[in-house]
Amino acid sequence: MSDGAQPMVRAEGVRKSFGQVEVLKGIDLDVQSGEVVCVIGPSGSGKSTFLRCINHLEQVTAGRLWVNGHLVGYRERGGKLYELRDKEVSAQRRDIGMVFQRFNLFPHMTALENVMEAPVQVKGVRKADARRRGIELLERVGLAERVHNYPNQLSGGQQQRVAIARALAMEPSLMLFDEPTSALDPELVGEVLDVMRGLAQSGMTMVVVTHEMGFAREVGDKLVFMDDGVVVEVGDPRQVLGDPQHVRTRAFLSKVL
């Protein structure tokens, strides 16, 4: 995965507080280009907050985050950080796709219109080109027959696959997934994981916050266990799940495996 080039994501000493509550307590982590990194841990451990910091949906309280060699959300001058303007942050986010737990589709738009919207509005792509690409992406996620359906005509798993296609339409170099299957009925989880498997096989760099240990074991290149705002253990998923080294990792996995 790594050829000595700079990582796609680098976190150094990342901290995040909400008021008096420190949610992230100094996260150090590298994600190499083409790597699938799965992040697991109990509720409230800071997993989703860390993901949201990567694309500056949350501002870090301390530390540094880089994506593709660019400092996220800030410009550094003379050792001091200056926050980027909204327009500059939006430009950085174009390169980062994010799929949330809830699908957040526009209810008044068809699946295809949902996928076309950002390339047309944000990137200025011609509608005909966005339509062609949108149809390709919906075919890729197994929804060729559903391009003209509205969200309320789709199952939760289908809506989540539209959300993945929508994120891919911006041609990101990094995809973030925040528990993408946790809002789904159990029988719909597999269809979303299959799409994510295909993305991983295509070489997409992915950071996935998940409870799906089978997916992490099978698809992940690296497994990160977080607890109480810190990274407790990092390693090969099969190694960490099969023989965790840290007592906190063992305690967590004994409850979920």
Side-chain angles (χ1 to χ4, degrees), residues 205-216:
T205 311
M206 298 161 60
V207 183
V208 185
V209 171
T210 187
H211 295 295
E212 302 292 338
M213 301 300 162
F215 176 85

Side-chain angles (χ1 to χ4, degrees), residues 18-38:
F18 295 99
Q20 299 299 304
V21 181
E22 192 173 35
V23 178
L24 299 178
K25 302 175 181 176
I27 304 289
D28 296 309
L29 186 69
D30 282 359
V31 178
Q32 303 300 334
S33 184
E35 215 172 28
V36 178
V37 174
C38 294

Side-chain angles (χ1 to χ4, degrees), residues 25-29 39-42 45 47 223-235 240 244-253:
K25 302 175 181 176
I27 304 289
D28 296 309
L29 186 69
V39 185
I40 64 169
S45 57
K47 309 182 300 292
L223 188 68
V224 177
F225 172 63
M226 283 181 66
D227 190 21
D228 196 27
V230 298
V231 171
V232 176
E233 190 162 341
V234 182
V240 174
Q245 299 302 297
H246 198 288
V247 63
R248 281 155 83 183
T249 320
R250 283 199 293 274
F252 172 74
L253 291 175

Side-chain angles (χ1 to χ4, degrees), residues 95-166:
D95 212 26
I96 306 171
M98 185 150 185
V99 177
F100 299 88
Q101 190 171 340
R102 297 275 165 201
F103 326 121
N104 300 332
L105 299 178
F106 296 116
H108 62 290
M109 293 183 179
T110 64
L112 179 56
E113 287 166 346
N114 265 282
V115 175
M116 288 171 58
E117 180 72 1
V120 171
Q121 298 298 334
V122 178
K123 279 188 157 179
V125 173
R126 288 172 58 238
K127 275 198 171 173
D129 294 336
R131 172 178 291 274
R132 190 165 54 247
R133 176 78 174 136
I135 290 169
E136 279 172 18
L137 287 168
L138 288 166
E139 285 174 354
R140 182 175 174 183
V141 300
L143 293 174
E145 309 298 313
R146 297 290 192 168
V147 293
H148 300 304
N149 286 129
Y150 289 90
N152 66 2
Q153 299 171 310
L154 301 172
S155 71
Q158 289 168 336
Q159 289 186 60
Q160 192 61 296
R161 286 186 279 155
V162 174
I164 292 171
R166 180 178 62 178

